Amino acid sequence: MRLSRAFLPTLKETPAEAQVASHRLMLRAGMIRQTSAGIYAWLPLGWRALRKVEQIVREEQDAAGAQEILMPTIQTADLWRQSGRYDAYGPEMLRIRDRHEREMLYGPTNEEMVTDIFKAYAKSYRDLPRNLYHIQWKFRDEIRPRFGVMRGREFLMKDAYSFDLDHEGAQRSYRQMFVAYLRTFARMGLKAIPMQADTGPIGGNLSHEFIILAETGESQVFLHRDLLEFDVLSRPVDYQGDLSPIVEFWTSRYAATDEKHDEAAWAEVPEEKRVTARGIEVGHIFYFGTKYSAAMGLHVSGPDGKPVTPEMGSYGIGVSRLVGAIIEASHDEHGIIWPDPVAPFAAAVLNLKPGEAACDAAAERIYAALAPQAVLDDREERAGVKFADADLMGFPWQVIVGPRGAAAGRVELKRRATGERAEVSPEDAVARVRSH
Ligand code: P5A
């Protein structure tokens, strides 16, 4: 992407309506545009970041054995009457009528719909276990949408739904998602801590929220320091094997949001191991047994021929919220600092003197070698503007091409996260960016 032609409306001033860093930076870096309260258009840079996040979520769901589908955003009220949630869900649900006066809604979640779809095909125990997920827009008419995409009304969620023959199978499915979530967030450079949680309108009696620590988080959290030090990615996971030791490690050490905080249990955590912080919920998993399958008449024939009602769970990740949460966890006073795996581009190539032959030649060559993972700042702007915008947009590397260096076959390579700079040849710059 050439910045001279890009649709990248960066802002110099801090937008007054934005209360938290990620919202300010997403607006200033031209990633999103609010179209109405809690509803955002994703502009090229934001859209690329969103897709990076989405792809990591997808890869880890697939690795854990879940299968991707795509369900509609619009659902019928009838479906929700079967589970009893149509009236219970309240004003957060956006209710719509079609031209035939049929009651419809914009889905806030898909337990009913997926159960109905699965019911049409699942006949016997051999059709279990299954885990189906999709990555689809949701609508919740939040009373107070705020913090940009972190609490929107329209937002992108990954939601998975597991169907199992019995309680033991359902616990296995729950553990598979538990571990997949640990990996998913770790791959994005985040430390997400599973914490016991309330189940709210989804229901059930077992649930964990995955919370990342950030000063502007909406909930107060309390946790054992060991949980911050565990390296989730150091070992590959065998999803068919026994995952209980991993889950056991995480659930045997204290971690709770203020809703579930227990002073007595907290007092038993050694003082030097106690961490209190603010947190952002990026994922939430639920086990709710036969709540939806029973209500919606999903039954299969068991190994002995008798009917069985499958046990279910559902597993959500706030994909659009994650873009904000990652920025909340990784920025400085100059702008965003993208972790490599989710950076919309790996590098910005800054041509400090467009029109100057040596600069143009070097910058174009580096850009061509790194495309499509780089942007080229070929705008007729002062160097200071280019430096500031590159820091603001936060790509992991900056390759700075100035007239003096270009004449001598040298460029400057800057690492955004550390500020480290090195003078290198254009080839070395390309090689170092690529090796990340
Ligand atoms: C689990 C999957 C569910 O809806 N049903 C299907 C279950 N869970 S949840 O906790 O209500 O939502 C899952 C995740 O979605 C994100 N999220 C939001 N993101 C942005 N704006 C919102 N208004 C919003 N509401 C929920 C959160 O990350 C949450 O963990």
Side-chain angles (χ1 to χ4, degrees):
M1 190 165 77
R2 286 167 193 278
L3 295 195
S4 62
R5 292 190 215 142
F7 185 66
L8 229 167
T10 55
L11 306 175
K12 281 191 194 64
E13 271 89 61
T14 300
E17 74 272 25
Q19 303 164 25
V20 295
S22 60
H23 189 196
R24 275 197 296 276
L25 291 170
M26 288 181 79
L27 291 170
R28 283 191 52 212
M31 292 176 64
I32 51 169
R33 166 88 189 165
Q34 184 177 316
T35 61
S36 67
I39 305 183
Y40 292 86
W42 292 75
L43 308 184
L45 192 61
W47 177 232
R48 269 183 82 99
L50 186 64
R51 278 186 296 168
K52 283 276 173 99
V53 168
E54 181 186 289
Q55 185 55 23
I56 291 175
V57 171
R58 174 176 290 122
E59 286 168 14
E60 293 300 325
Q61 289 292 293
D62 292 346
Q67 296 170 60
E68 187 168 9
I69 61 175
L70 182 59
M71 292 181 272
T73 55
I74 305 292
Q75 310 187 23
T76 63
D78 286 347
L79 209 49
W80 284 63
R81 289 212 169 89
Q82 290 177 41
S83 71
R85 276 209 294 184
Y86 188 64
D87 296 321
Y89 212 91
E92 273 202 4
M93 180 187 278
L94 180 64
R95 296 156 206 258
I96 310 166
R97 275 173 202 274
D98 72 7
R99 69 199 304 165
H100 305 294
E101 291 293 314
R102 275 192 285 256
E103 291 171 286
M104 316 285 283
L105 57 102
Y106 194 120
T109 177
N110 285 65
E111 279 81 5
E112 285 79 357
M113 185 180 273
V114 76
T115 306
D116 193 57
I117 293 170
F118 194 68
K119 186 175 86 170
Y121 301 102
K123 299 296 170 227
S124 94
Y125 68 94
R126 282 183 295 268
D127 298 318
L128 301 171
R130 294 289 185 277
N131 184 330
L132 304 176
Y133 77 97
H134 72 162
I135 300 173
Q136 176 64 292
W137 295 91
K138 305 287 186 284
F139 194 93
R140 292 182 185 174
D141 205 348
E142 298 275 350
I143 191 158
R144 215 169 290 112
R146 57 182 185 158
F147 303 160
V149 300
M150 290 220 283
R151 182 166 293 283
R153 293 199 298 164
E154 191 183 48
F155 61 96
L156 190 60
M157 191 199 287
K158 183 287 299 179
D159 36 327
Y161 303 88
S162 64
F163 301 88
D164 278 275
L165 188 62
D166 52 24
H167 182 73
E168 199 187 306
Q171 299 299 307
R172 185 176 320 115
S173 295
Y174 189 89
R175 289 195 287 269
Q176 286 170 338
M177 287 293 108
F178 189 105
V179 172
Y181 276 37
L182 292 171
R183 287 187 50 86
T184 301
F185 301 125
R187 277 188 61 192
M188 297 173 190
L190 297 172
K191 283 213 183 290
I193 313 293
M195 304 193 186
Q196 268 192 41
D198 284 329
T199 56
I202 306 295
N205 51 17
L206 171 62
S207 149
H208 286 92
E209 286 176 356
F210 286 72
I211 305 245
I212 65 155
L213 305 188
E215 278 162 31
T216 45
E218 287 189 287
S219 31
Q220 180 80 24
V221 298
F222 306 83
L223 64 140
H224 193 294
R225 190 175 297 282
D226 286 1
L227 298 173
L228 289 171
E229 280 151 21
F230 190 82
D231 180 8
V232 177
L233 298 175
S234 61
R235 264 180 279 160
V237 175
D238 171 14
Y239 282 103
Q240 298 319 308
D242 183 11
L243 300 175
S244 31
I246 305 178
V247 174
E248 166 72 14
F249 171 86
W250 289 92
T251 50
S252 61
R253 284 166 180 76
Y254 192 86
T257 62
D258 40 11
E259 284 175 354
K260 288 261 173 181
H261 187 49
D262 172 357
E263 283 294 346
W266 185 234
E268 282 171 30
V269 177
E271 192 131 7
E272 71 281 6
K273 294 282 190 184
R274 289 184 208 159
V275 178
T276 41
R278 307 287 303 173
I280 302 170
E281 176 198 325
V282 289
H284 199 160
I285 61 178
F286 302 82
Y287 161 72
F288 40 70
T290 58
K291 175 175 171 177
Y292 297 92
S293 44
M296 302 190 64
L298 164 61
H299 309 289
V300 301
S301 63
D304 56 3
K306 293 196 186 121
V308 181
T309 309
E311 299 238 343
M312 292 176 59
S314 74
Y315 315 90
I317 291 182
V319 177
S320 48
R321 172 178 290 184
L322 267 169
V323 177
I326 289 166
I327 296 172
E328 213 52 63
S330 186
H331 69 272
D332 64 13
E333 68 273 26
H334 304 295
I336 302 167
I337 303 173
W338 288 111
D340 293 286
V342 287
F345 293 94
V349 182
L350 312 187
N351 182 349
L352 297 188
K353 204 140 205 225
E356 210 254 6
C359 279
D360 286 353
E364 290 289 340
R365 201 150 47 86
I366 297 165
Y367 174 57
L370 291 176
Q373 287 304 328
V375 301
L376 173 62
D377 196 344
D378 56 347
R379 296 173 302 171
E380 301 284 345
E381 289 281 2
R382 285 181 295 114
V385 171
K386 296 186 179 186
F387 294 141
D389 277 351
D391 279 353
L392 172 63
M393 291 185 287
F395 309 131
W397 299 97
Q398 295 167 18
V399 186
I400 301 158
V401 184
R404 217 172 320 128
R410 309 298 281 175
V411 297
E412 198 175 20
L413 184 65
K414 176 180 158 184
R415 182 78 174 153
R416 174 67 179 88
T418 58
E420 265 171 88
R421 293 159 182 275
E423 222 189 75
V424 296
S425 69
E427 293 70 31
D428 283 351
V430 168
R432 284 191 46 194
V433 173
R434 277 204 190 135
S435 71
H436 264 76

